[in-house]
């Protein structure tokens, strides 16, 4: 959906609701393609005495992998977006994050909403708070049991000695 601020400005009390889906299956986030299912956006654009407000909720089903063990993880997320769309910023508006500057004649709603969804993505999702992850040595999934590797941190000074001893073997 396209928003034309110029046009909206001439329609006092304008109010439009939207509810549609976007295909973001090709959108890469952190080396993953988390949006295997269409992302739904629902909200409204409205004029309140010349102030154009965009408020929306983005509903996404996220398919990703556990940051520790790599197991597939899926979950639903909701991202709320609320902006006042403005044609220009006043000097004291610089650090207001509730304003969205529309520099051209029209702005595509997706161009406002999609970056907000990406920004809201969780950085490191885990399959379980207690996920033990993979053994850094042999790669075994430690949730399925211990592999027996010794992975304790070796003191760097002792590491030199360890290397010496290993070479002796
Ligand atoms: Zn995990
Ligand atoms: Zn191991």
């Amino acid at each position: 959906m396209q928003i034309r601020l110029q046009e909206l400005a001439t329609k006092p009390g304008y109010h439009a609701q939207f509810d549609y889906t976007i295909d973001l299956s090709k959108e890469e986030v952190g080396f993953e393609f988390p949006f295997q299912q269409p992302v739904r956006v629902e909200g409204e654009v409205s004029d309140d005495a010349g102030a154009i407000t965009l408020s929306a909720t983005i509903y996404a089903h996220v398919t990703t992998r556990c940051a520790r063990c790599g197991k597939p993880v899926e979950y639903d997320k909701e991202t709320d977006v609320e902006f006042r769309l403005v044609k220009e910023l006043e000097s004291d508006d610089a650090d207001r994050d509730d304003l969205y500057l529309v520099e051209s004649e029209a702005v595509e709603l997706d161009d406002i909403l999609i970056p907000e969804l990406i920004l809201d993505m969780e950085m490191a999702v885990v399959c379980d708070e207690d996920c033990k992850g993979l053994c850094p040595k042999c790669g075994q999934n430690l949730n399925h049991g211990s592999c027996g590797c010794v992975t304790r941190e070796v003191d760097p000074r002792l590491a030199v000695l360890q290397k010496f001893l290993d070479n002796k073997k």
Side-chain angles (χ1 to χ4, degrees):
M1 185 175 131
Q2 247 196 9
I3 303 173
R4 295 185 156 274
L5 278 199
Q6 218 78 8
E7 260 170 51
L8 292 194
T10 61
K11 292 177 185 164
Y14 175 86
H15 182 101
Q17 283 176 319
F18 55 85
D19 185 345
Y20 63 94
T21 56
I22 316 171
D23 175 13
L24 291 180
S25 57
K26 304 266 186 324
E27 191 78 27
E28 189 177 338
V29 183
F31 307 110
E32 300 276 347
F33 295 91
F35 311 113
Q36 294 302 313
Q37 294 180 21
V39 170
R40 185 171 150 234
V41 295
E42 189 195 352
E44 59 181 35
V45 179
S46 57
D47 166 88
D48 181 20
I52 312 288
T53 303
L54 162 68
S55 72
T57 305
I58 308 169
Y59 300 92
H61 182 78
V62 179
T63 307
T64 185
R65 285 177 186 282
C66 170
R68 292 182 204 154
C69 74
K71 183 177 141 182
V73 181
E74 293 187 30
Y75 61 98
D76 291 311
K77 74 181 271 112
E78 285 180 25
T79 301
D80 289 318
V81 180
E82 180 141 358
F83 284 122
R84 236 190 78 200
L85 306 181
V86 292
K87 281 294 274 182
E88 52 201 17
L89 292 174
E90 308 288 333
S91 55
D92 55 346
D93 285 343
D95 17 284
R96 288 185 55 177
D97 58 5
D98 60 329
L99 298 181
Y100 189 96
L101 181 64
V102 179
E103 286 173 290
S104 49
E105 274 304 296
V107 64
E108 195 62 51
L109 200 46
D110 294 3
D111 294 342
I112 305 179
L113 298 178
I114 297 168
E116 291 300 307
L117 170 65
I118 308 288
L119 270 177
D120 193 43
M121 290 297 284
E122 295 71 16
M123 277 300 141
V125 178
V126 289
C127 63
D128 188 298
E129 275 308 313
D130 296 325
C131 174
K132 297 187 180 74
L134 304 179
C135 168
K137 255 190 179 168
C138 71
Q140 165 154 328
N141 187 331
L142 298 175
N143 298 310
H144 301 156
S146 171
C147 53
C149 292
V150 181
T151 55
R152 66 188 158 82
E153 289 294 315
V154 180
D155 185 307
R157 286 161 300 173
L158 289 178
V160 177
L161 178 64
Q162 186 68 51
K163 205 170 181 188
F164 174 74
L165 292 174
D166 284 349
N167 287 341
K168 280 234 155 189
K169 274 179 210 163

